[in-house]
Structure formats: structure tokens, C-alpha cells
Amino acid sequence: MAFEFDHLFICTDINAWEAEALVSFGLVEGSSNPHPGQGTANRRFFFHNAMLEFLWVHNPEQAKSGVEL
């Protein structure tokens, strides 16, 4: 069975200030977005065949709701 890595999540504090180190290193940040109804948001860095996503809870009540979208 072949394995291909394409998406890495890193859970962070709000706004993922850790991602600034990647920007200062010269990586280009992609668009970020909230995840409506899930209570999370992200910052993303895209590569040729993978994505690095910094993910955090921005709305604890939505994140705890248990509603599946």
C-alpha cells in the first residue's frame, strides 16, 4: 500500500503567531479562513504536493457544540 503525505495540522493558540517564523523565513502564506459552525480557524502554507495548516479554536461554544457539519 502506498502512502502519500499531503496535509499536516498543527494545533496552536489563537492567530497562530508561530506561523510568523515561516513568513520571516520567506515562505508565502496562503489564504486563511474560519470554519463556520466548527469554531475553528486557520493559517495555511501550500507546497507543491502538501499543505501545512496552523489550526486553532476561535469560538469555544461552536467547537463544543457537537454539531456535525
Side-chain angles (χ1 to χ4, degrees), residues 26-55:
L27 295 181
V28 176
E29 184 172 358
S31 61
S32 62
N33 62 307
H35 304 115
Q38 296 177 6
T40 58
N42 67 12
R43 291 179 71 174
R44 302 180 291 180
F45 293 84
F46 296 96
F47 300 90
H48 172 70
N49 62 348
M51 178 175 69
L52 175 61
E53 180 173 353
F54 290 84
L55 183 70

Side-chain angles (χ1 to χ4, degrees), residues 9-32:
F9 290 100
I10 298 176
C11 297
T12 69
D13 287 330
I14 294 173
N15 296 319
W17 299 115
E18 302 85 351
E20 293 303 322
L22 299 179
V23 172
S24 68
F25 180 69
L27 295 181
V28 176
E29 184 172 358
S31 61
S32 62

